[in-house]
Amino acid sequence: MLKNILKNKLGTSLIEIMFAVSIFVILIGLTLGIFKSTIESQKNAIAAQNIQENLRFLFEIISKEIRGAKIMDSACDGFFTISSDKKIYYVNGGVLYFKNKDDECVAYYVDGNDDFVIERDNGIGALPITPNDIKVTDLDFFARDNDIGVLPDAKIQPRVTIKIEVEANNSGAYKQHTIMQTTVSSRRYE
Amino acid sequence: MNMFKINSKGFSIVEASVVMGVVSIGVLGVFSLVLQNIQVQKVNRNMLVASMLAQEGLELVRNIRDDNWIASPAVNWDMDIAGWNNNNFTIDYTMAMADVDDTNVAENIVEEAGANLYFVNGGNFYTHSAAGNAATSYSRLITVDGIDASSIADGAVDYYKVKSHVQWKEKAVLKDYIAETHLYNWR
């Protein structure tokens, strides 16, 4: 067999090679295009999944701690120089302060100097509760609470509305911008 | 071994196109799987947002009951809720409750102008107030249903079934997220 092939003195013409190469290039080009868009969209899907997982976790732990918060009774006044008094929740400039069920004064805020992660500060130190690969572009709190001072006769049950806007950090054009909001009503009746 | 010498025929165009067809069906299958994955992610994302909005609706109604509990002078535990018994209404984080026109609320909440959720311009909270605000794709409606659970019916409401229904449109297809809770007069 080898002999037969070697005996054959005819080569392939330039036209034939050009034709074969161009068909090859077109086919490869099409395949690569599909391959590329598959990878891109996979990136997009991963970004979305990442954001969803983290948001679910975030809302879970923040709402749990907010529900159990206690009346501050001025115990947190030295904490971040806030005047808390009879309030359960205190919101100032995008930061939420309250005293949790273990009498710990805590604050939740976005740290603009550290990749826009949400941090929880308990007065001893601040620890991030969102990862670096999601960027929290906006964190807003709205607290409806009793006024500072002695508890009025017409008390109200405090509640907090949380709104978070996030996008993915490391997935190029795929930001997966998501805006989530929920409200949590205090479970402490006093 | 003489096969190569004897068989000097190439592939016919029919054979070639069958091969191309099979290959492209395979590639298209993978591709459509990826596309579907993206679609599902998007639906999931909206579902997550909707679940939080539905939960917010329930918490706001709960907040009304809790407000009544600690109010002084004392008021009925179901004040402001009883008035909406067997009815649909909207409520947002500002606590403003409003009636909606009940024509198509049964299944088509997004068509109810009053039930749509908006963003206050400048990017603030989801609210029902439309004036000058940007519409979002979500709508929310709360339904309360007072239940008399006494063994001998006494006509008094023992608990309220509160339903928070969030609806949005996903490429012209309606999607729903419904959360329900029961509010009793005991803590």
mmCIF file of all heavy atoms in Angstrom, chain A residues 50-69:
data_model
loop_
_atom_site.group_PDB
_atom_site.id
_atom_site.type_symbol
_atom_site.label_atom_id
_atom_site.label_comp_id
_atom_site.label_asym_id
_atom_site.label_seq_id
_atom_site.Cartn_x
_atom_site.Cartn_y
_atom_site.Cartn_z
ATOM 1 N N ASN A 50 -23.825 32.799 41.647
ATOM 2 C CA ASN A 50 -23.030 33.303 42.761
ATOM 3 C C ASN A 50 -23.783 34.390 43.513
ATOM 4 O O ASN A 50 -23.886 34.378 44.743
ATOM 5 C CB ASN A 50 -21.723 33.858 42.175
ATOM 6 C CG ASN A 50 -20.673 34.043 43.233
ATOM 7 O OD1 ASN A 50 -20.833 33.533 44.343
ATOM 8 N ND2 ASN A 50 -19.625 34.745 42.900
ATOM 9 N N ILE A 51 -24.339 35.341 42.749
ATOM 10 C CA ILE A 51 -25.069 36.443 43.361
ATOM 11 C C ILE A 51 -26.283 35.922 44.123
ATOM 12 O O ILE A 51 -26.551 36.323 45.259
ATOM 13 C CB ILE A 51 -25.490 37.462 42.279
ATOM 14 C CG1 ILE A 51 -24.292 38.325 41.942
ATOM 15 C CG2 ILE A 51 -26.657 38.297 42.728
ATOM 16 C CD1 ILE A 51 -24.592 39.481 41.077
ATOM 17 N N GLN A 52 -26.999 34.981 43.506
ATOM 18 C CA GLN A 52 -28.212 34.480 44.160
ATOM 19 C C GLN A 52 -27.907 33.771 45.465
ATOM 20 O O GLN A 52 -28.567 34.000 46.473
ATOM 21 C CB GLN A 52 -28.949 33.546 43.216
ATOM 22 C CG GLN A 52 -29.671 34.311 42.118
ATOM 23 C CD GLN A 52 -30.090 33.417 40.988
ATOM 24 O OE1 GLN A 52 -30.305 32.230 41.176
ATOM 25 N NE2 GLN A 52 -30.202 33.969 39.805
ATOM 26 N N GLU A 53 -26.870 32.945 45.444
ATOM 27 C CA GLU A 53 -26.499 32.236 46.675
ATOM 28 C C GLU A 53 -26.149 33.202 47.784
ATOM 29 O O GLU A 53 -26.605 33.076 48.923
ATOM 30 C CB GLU A 53 -25.277 31.353 46.417
ATOM 31 C CG GLU A 53 -25.604 29.989 45.883
ATOM 32 C CD GLU A 53 -24.363 29.267 45.394
ATOM 33 O OE1 GLU A 53 -23.251 29.658 45.769
ATOM 34 O OE2 GLU A 53 -24.532 28.309 44.622
ATOM 35 N N ASN A 54 -25.327 34.198 47.434
ATOM 36 C CA ASN A 54 -24.859 35.124 48.454
ATOM 37 C C ASN A 54 -25.975 35.999 48.999
ATOM 38 O O ASN A 54 -26.012 36.302 50.191
ATOM 39 C CB ASN A 54 -23.723 35.970 47.908
ATOM 40 C CG ASN A 54 -22.442 35.178 47.842
ATOM 41 O OD1 ASN A 54 -21.981 34.660 48.847
ATOM 42 N ND2 ASN A 54 -21.887 35.038 46.665
ATOM 43 N N LEU A 55 -26.891 36.414 48.106
ATOM 44 C CA LEU A 55 -27.994 37.253 48.565
ATOM 45 C C LEU A 55 -28.902 36.475 49.509
ATOM 46 O O LEU A 55 -29.377 37.004 50.511
ATOM 47 C CB LEU A 55 -28.807 37.762 47.376
ATOM 48 C CG LEU A 55 -28.239 38.979 46.670
ATOM 49 C CD1 LEU A 55 -29.119 39.363 45.504
ATOM 50 C CD2 LEU A 55 -28.133 40.141 47.629
ATOM 51 N N ARG A 56 -29.117 35.205 49.180
ATOM 52 C CA ARG A 56 -29.995 34.385 50.019
ATOM 53 C C ARG A 56 -29.402 34.276 51.428
ATOM 54 O O ARG A 56 -30.091 34.453 52.421
ATOM 55 C CB ARG A 56 -30.142 33.009 49.378
ATOM 56 C CG ARG A 56 -31.418 32.325 49.746
ATOM 57 C CD ARG A 56 -31.623 31.095 48.906
ATOM 58 N NE ARG A 56 -32.223 31.407 47.618
ATOM 59 C CZ ARG A 56 -31.985 30.724 46.510
ATOM 60 N NH1 ARG A 56 -31.142 29.734 46.518
ATOM 61 N NH2 ARG A 56 -32.595 31.048 45.401
ATOM 62 N N PHE A 57 -28.114 34.010 51.467
ATOM 63 C CA PHE A 57 -27.417 33.890 52.748
ATOM 64 C C PHE A 57 -27.487 35.202 53.518
ATOM 65 O O PHE A 57 -27.809 35.248 54.699
ATOM 66 C CB PHE A 57 -25.957 33.496 52.489
ATOM 67 C CG PHE A 57 -25.087 33.543 53.710
ATOM 68 C CD1 PHE A 57 -25.206 32.572 54.682
ATOM 69 C CD2 PHE A 57 -24.160 34.549 53.886
ATOM 70 C CE1 PHE A 57 -24.412 32.602 55.817
ATOM 71 C CE2 PHE A 57 -23.365 34.598 55.016
ATOM 72 C CZ PHE A 57 -23.487 33.612 55.985
ATOM 73 N N LEU A 58 -27.197 36.289 52.788
ATOM 74 C CA LEU A 58 -27.164 37.607 53.406
ATOM 75 C C LEU A 58 -28.495 37.965 54.059
ATOM 76 O O LEU A 58 -28.554 38.344 55.234
ATOM 77 C CB LEU A 58 -26.827 38.625 52.317
ATOM 78 C CG LEU A 58 -26.627 40.059 52.740
ATOM 79 C CD1 LEU A 58 -25.353 40.141 53.535
ATOM 80 C CD2 LEU A 58 -26.522 40.947 51.524
ATOM 81 N N PHE A 59 -29.588 37.799 53.298
ATOM 82 C CA PHE A 59 -30.906 38.147 53.835
ATOM 83 C C PHE A 59 -31.258 37.248 55.009
ATOM 84 O O PHE A 59 -31.903 37.683 55.958
ATOM 85 C CB PHE A 59 -31.977 38.067 52.744
ATOM 86 C CG PHE A 59 -32.108 39.348 51.981
ATOM 87 C CD1 PHE A 59 -31.317 39.587 50.887
ATOM 88 C CD2 PHE A 59 -33.016 40.317 52.376
ATOM 89 C CE1 PHE A 59 -31.418 40.777 50.185
ATOM 90 C CE2 PHE A 59 -33.132 41.507 51.682
ATOM 91 C CZ PHE A 59 -32.330 41.735 50.588
ATOM 92 N N GLU A 60 -30.849 36.008 54.925
ATOM 93 C CA GLU A 60 -31.148 35.072 55.999
ATOM 94 C C GLU A 60 -30.521 35.536 57.313
ATOM 95 O O GLU A 60 -31.199 35.666 58.330
ATOM 96 C CB GLU A 60 -30.610 33.683 55.608
ATOM 97 C CG GLU A 60 -30.878 32.588 56.604
ATOM 98 C CD GLU A 60 -32.341 32.266 56.721
ATOM 99 O OE1 GLU A 60 -33.050 32.363 55.714
ATOM 100 O OE2 GLU A 60 -32.775 31.942 57.844
ATOM 101 N N ILE A 61 -29.214 35.832 57.293
ATOM 102 C CA ILE A 61 -28.582 36.154 58.573
ATOM 103 C C ILE A 61 -28.937 37.562 59.056
ATOM 104 O O ILE A 61 -29.135 37.764 60.235
ATOM 105 C CB ILE A 61 -27.056 35.941 58.569
ATOM 106 C CG1 ILE A 61 -26.372 36.791 57.518
ATOM 107 C CG2 ILE A 61 -26.671 34.492 58.418
ATOM 108 C CD1 ILE A 61 -24.890 36.890 57.820
ATOM 109 N N ILE A 62 -29.055 38.518 58.128
ATOM 110 C CA ILE A 62 -29.413 39.873 58.579
ATOM 111 C C ILE A 62 -30.816 39.853 59.178
ATOM 112 O O ILE A 62 -31.031 40.373 60.271
ATOM 113 C CB ILE A 62 -29.332 40.903 57.435
ATOM 114 C CG1 ILE A 62 -27.886 41.109 57.010
ATOM 115 C CG2 ILE A 62 -29.905 42.232 57.875
ATOM 116 C CD1 ILE A 62 -27.698 42.252 56.033
ATOM 117 N N SER A 63 -31.777 39.231 58.492
ATOM 118 C CA SER A 63 -33.156 39.268 59.022
ATOM 119 C C SER A 63 -33.248 38.542 60.355
ATOM 120 O O SER A 63 -33.989 38.949 61.238
ATOM 121 C CB SER A 63 -34.185 38.679 58.073
ATOM 122 O OG SER A 63 -33.698 38.482 56.820
ATOM 123 N N LYS A 64 -32.492 37.466 60.503
ATOM 124 C CA LYS A 64 -32.553 36.715 61.750
ATOM 125 C C LYS A 64 -32.088 37.579 62.917
ATOM 126 O O LYS A 64 -32.726 37.620 63.973
ATOM 127 C CB LYS A 64 -31.675 35.469 61.633
ATOM 128 C CG LYS A 64 -31.920 34.473 62.724
ATOM 129 C CD LYS A 64 -31.076 33.242 62.531
ATOM 130 C CE LYS A 64 -31.187 32.346 63.738
ATOM 131 N NZ LYS A 64 -30.226 31.249 63.696
ATOM 132 N N GLU A 65 -30.994 38.299 62.698
ATOM 133 C CA GLU A 65 -30.466 39.118 63.788
ATOM 134 C C GLU A 65 -31.362 40.330 64.052
ATOM 135 O O GLU A 65 -31.559 40.723 65.193
ATOM 136 C CB GLU A 65 -29.031 39.565 63.474
ATOM 137 C CG GLU A 65 -28.302 40.064 64.705
ATOM 138 C CD GLU A 65 -26.791 40.179 64.517
ATOM 139 O OE1 GLU A 65 -26.361 40.372 63.373
ATOM 140 O OE2 GLU A 65 -26.071 40.090 65.522
ATOM 141 N N ILE A 66 -31.936 40.891 62.986
ATOM 142 C CA ILE A 66 -32.811 42.054 63.147
ATOM 143 C C ILE A 66 -34.072 41.673 63.933
ATOM 144 O O ILE A 66 -34.522 42.422 64.804
ATOM 145 C CB ILE A 66 -33.202 42.638 61.770
ATOM 146 C CG1 ILE A 66 -32.005 43.339 61.141
ATOM 147 C CG2 ILE A 66 -34.356 43.599 61.896
ATOM 148 C CD1 ILE A 66 -32.270 43.871 59.753
ATOM 149 N N ARG A 67 -34.626 40.503 63.648
ATOM 150 C CA ARG A 67 -35.861 40.083 64.320
ATOM 151 C C ARG A 67 -35.685 40.022 65.827
ATOM 152 O O ARG A 67 -36.583 40.346 66.583
ATOM 153 C CB ARG A 67 -36.279 38.697 63.835
ATOM 154 C CG ARG A 67 -36.974 38.722 62.525
ATOM 155 C CD ARG A 67 -37.808 37.494 62.295
ATOM 156 N NE ARG A 67 -38.426 37.599 60.989
ATOM 157 C CZ ARG A 67 -37.930 37.038 59.889
ATOM 158 N NH1 ARG A 67 -36.847 36.291 59.958
ATOM 159 N NH2 ARG A 67 -38.516 37.220 58.730
ATOM 160 N N GLY A 68 -34.525 39.582 66.281
ATOM 161 C CA GLY A 68 -34.313 39.390 67.716
ATOM 162 C C GLY A 68 -33.782 40.606 68.445
ATOM 163 O O GLY A 68 -33.468 40.517 69.632
ATOM 164 N N ALA A 69 -33.673 41.756 67.747
ATOM 165 C CA ALA A 69 -33.060 42.937 68.374
ATOM 166 C C ALA A 69 -33.844 43.425 69.583
ATOM 167 O O ALA A 69 -35.066 43.243 69.661
ATOM 168 C CB ALA A 69 -32.941 44.050 67.342
#
